[in-house]
Amino acid sequence: MSASIFTKIINREIPSEILYEDDRVIAIRDISPQAPLHLLVIPKAEQYANVAELAAGDPELLAAMVATAQRLAEEHADGEFRLIFNTGAGAGQTVFHVHAHVLAGGLQEGTLVGN
Ligand code: AMP
């Protein structure tokens, strides 16, 4: 299988605005923001296609993603945030390398990430 777009970003093969990185996760600004602050928190491990697979396979990594989302929402907004994991094409998922959408900063009620 070819590398996902997020693996290419992690490997610096394509550019993105990286706001945070450690040995397990990376956080970038979404290229098509749906809120004043719209980040993606992405595990470097690419074998989990969605959050259900990640929760079953590595719950600590999922917890690390949530903690990263919280920290970034505090740094870049008021600390309150919406965390979205589109799971399956029918739910709007387009990249099958698990990622959390972090939306913050003056959210409208009902704002959802979809395509
Ligand atoms: P999903 O539809 O839940 O799979 O989310 C994929 C997200 O990746 C979308 O919100 C896209 O805007 C975002 N995206 C796609 N390519 C890039 C990129 N090169 N840099 C940043 N975000 C991207």
Side-chain angles (χ1 to χ4, degrees):
M1 229 181 73
S2 63
S4 76
I5 191 163
F6 296 148
T7 293
K8 290 179 182 160
I9 286 172
I10 290 162
N11 293 337
R12 308 311 202 257
E13 290 164 19
I14 59 174
S16 75
E17 189 181 341
I18 297 171
L19 297 184
Y20 176 77
E21 181 171 22
D22 63 25
D23 57 334
R24 289 185 297 174
V25 305
I26 192 166
I28 65 172
R29 215 176 273 280
D30 196 292
I31 205 168
S32 176
Q34 308 293 313
L37 182 72
H38 185 171
L39 309 181
L40 300 173
V41 179
I42 307 161
K44 290 186 171 178
E46 64 178 345
Q47 70 263 41
Y48 305 110
N50 59 54
V51 68
E53 289 185 13
L54 177 63
D58 192 344
E60 280 184 22
L61 182 53
L62 176 57
M65 289 173 68
V66 175
T68 299
Q70 170 82 71
R71 217 167 39 244
L72 289 168
E74 285 165 3
E75 278 174 26
H76 297 277
D78 63 3
E80 299 187 336
F81 61 100
R82 186 170 295 160
L83 198 60
I84 295 173
F85 292 88
N86 292 330
T87 305
Q93 187 175 5
T94 58
V95 181
F96 294 87
H97 173 158
V98 61
H99 53 282
H101 295 261
V102 183
L103 304 180
L107 295 177
Q108 311 260 316
E109 211 167 302
T111 305
L112 295 173
V113 172
N115 293 287

